[in-house]
Amino acid sequence: AHGKAEALEVLRGRVEATAVLYMGGGDGEEPVFLHLSGADAGVRVGDAGEPSVAAHRVADTPAAAQLLAVLAAERRSWVFGERPTPIERMSLLSNRAAVALVGPDARLLWLCHPEPDSPALFAELLGGRSAGVFSIAPEHRGLPLGQRYERDTMTVRTRFSRLEVIDYLAEPAVAGRTDLVRVVTGTGAAVVEFAPRPDFGRAPVRILAKDDGLVVEGGPYPVALYAPGVSWQVDQDAGTALARVHPTSERPVVLELRCGTDSLEAPGVGEQERRRGTEREWSSWVRTLDLPETERRLVARSALTLRGLCTPTGGVMAAATTSLPEEIGGIRNWDYRYCWLRDGALTVQALVEAGSTAEAEAFLGWVHRVVGGLAGPELLRPLYSLRGTDLGPEEVVESLSGYAGSRPVRVG
């Protein structure tokens, strides 16, 4: 038995393992289990009636083989990345105070709070399911038939057979709060999976089912999912809530993710009125632009995307995400959720040429505030946070597998 423990330590050092999984069911295994520590895991194979210090147990050798197969598949997915959504097929949501990404199958792939450059609450884009899931899909598992923006807005519609999902970030009614509204319409049954993962999946959460929705505990800020009339099955061990919903033509299902509050009170206005107000803010802005007749709608969409990256501080995000690789599998995966003076200037210049000057004025105000905090303009840095402050040190999120396995995932 002592020889097994020594051999394990020799192997650990030889392959430079950061953690060990030891499975055994013969004689003399207990001293080996006792030597495991930290991130190591021990699995006893055999009779459940036999005492063991191992943290886990499986019934027999076939069950052990099945467990190894599952772990190998999970590790392969982590190392190489799950088959990711092509970047060009993701849809950007914005209310200018917050941004989100929705996949072509209506999965929420990316959302940060309270700022666009804060740690992610949903980061399936970079870490798969373990980094957060908020999906709405037909019960019969049908594939999506299409996705499009409502014209001249940042509202996205995803269409399935007999089912449609409408997504938008509502205009912020209160500072420091983000409301993502998801509306399920049609006549088919749908399955909703809700599994928020604050701080890129590093903060454990507890989901509580209430009368009108769910409350999420354990994160750095309150989170609630207002969902009147929806019955949830909550798995606390998995940190996941599941629901089966069946909208009708008269009564759509409304799911309102609220970040920054745990209130489940009904909103002061109806969902359709709120959506119209949000869409009006975008479409009325588009009507002020001087757009070319050729490919007008494409130019308008480009302008909407650029405006969606302009924040209330005047700072302009270079992009809504971090760590999307320059090349798949490469290491040049940077955090672009900040304001480069060059990129910001080019963005607002493009909007000025399209006929909108408010973003350029706000950006110049942002630059003046940054310069005002320096001893001289020659001390300007190439980039700052969206608030105009220096960036903190870069951090690598080791727990995320990266987009298509492209690591490291960087923050800052």
Side-chain angles (χ1 to χ4, degrees), residues 170-251:
E171 285 296 297
V174 180
R177 177 168 156 177
T178 301
D179 289 0
L180 170 67
V181 184
R182 316 199 72 185
V183 184
V184 188
T185 67
T187 58
V191 175
V192 181
E193 182 177 3
F194 179 72
R197 296 292 184 264
D199 192 19
F200 298 102
R202 296 179 293 188
V205 298
R206 177 177 170 83
I207 301 176
L208 304 177
K210 304 287 186 178
D211 289 342
D212 285 329
L214 304 169
V215 172
V216 181
E217 296 182 344
Y221 48 82
V223 176
L225 180 64
Y226 175 68
V230 176
S231 178
W232 296 93
Q233 293 180 334
V234 179
D235 184 340
Q236 292 295 358
D237 292 334
T240 301
L242 291 173
R244 180 182 183 274
V245 299
H246 202 309
T248 65
S249 54
E250 295 81 19
R251 296 195 64 179

Side-chain angles (χ1 to χ4, degrees), residues 94-270:
S94 174
N95 62 7
R96 304 186 67 208
V99 291
L101 290 179
V102 175
D105 53 358
R107 299 179 73 89
L108 180 61
L109 300 177
W110 183 256
L111 176 67
C112 301
H113 181 82
E115 306 288 344
D117 56 1
S118 298
L121 178 64
F122 292 92
E124 187 175 351
L125 173 71
L126 297 178
R129 291 176 53 83
S130 64
V133 176
F134 192 0
S135 64
I136 303 171
E139 187 178 45
H140 59 74
R141 301 189 179 186
L143 296 175
L145 301 178
Q147 187 177 73
R148 63 178 176 84
Y149 283 100
E150 290 283 23
R151 182 169 181 173
D152 294 346
T153 74
M154 296 297 281
T155 300
V156 170
R157 288 180 176 264
T158 307
R159 185 167 55 89
F160 300 88
S161 174
R162 300 192 301 124
L163 203 69
E164 191 171 55
V165 181
I166 303 169
D167 284 304
Y168 62 96
L169 284 165
E171 285 296 297
V174 180
R177 177 168 156 177
T178 301
D179 289 0
L180 170 67
V181 184
R182 316 199 72 185
V183 184
V184 188
T185 67
T187 58
V191 175
V192 181
E193 182 177 3
F194 179 72
R197 296 292 184 264
D199 192 19
F200 298 102
R202 296 179 293 188
V205 298
R206 177 177 170 83
I207 301 176
L208 304 177
K210 304 287 186 178
D211 289 342
D212 285 329
L214 304 169
V215 172
V216 181
E217 296 182 344
Y221 48 82
V223 176
L225 180 64
Y226 175 68
V230 176
S231 178
W232 296 93
Q233 293 180 334
V234 179
D235 184 340
Q236 292 295 358
D237 292 334
T240 301
L242 291 173
R244 180 182 183 274
V245 299
H246 202 309
T248 65
S249 54
E250 295 81 19
R251 296 195 64 179
V253 175
V254 178
L255 306 168
E256 186 177 307
L257 175 63
R258 299 170 175 177
C259 303
T261 180
D262 57 6
S263 171
L264 291 174
E265 294 183 3
V269 297

Side-chain angles (χ1 to χ4, degrees), residues 62-79:
Q66 187 177 8
L67 174 61
L68 283 173
V70 170
L71 290 174
E74 287 291 324
R75 177 167 175 76
R76 190 179 307 112
S77 173
W78 193 89
V79 171

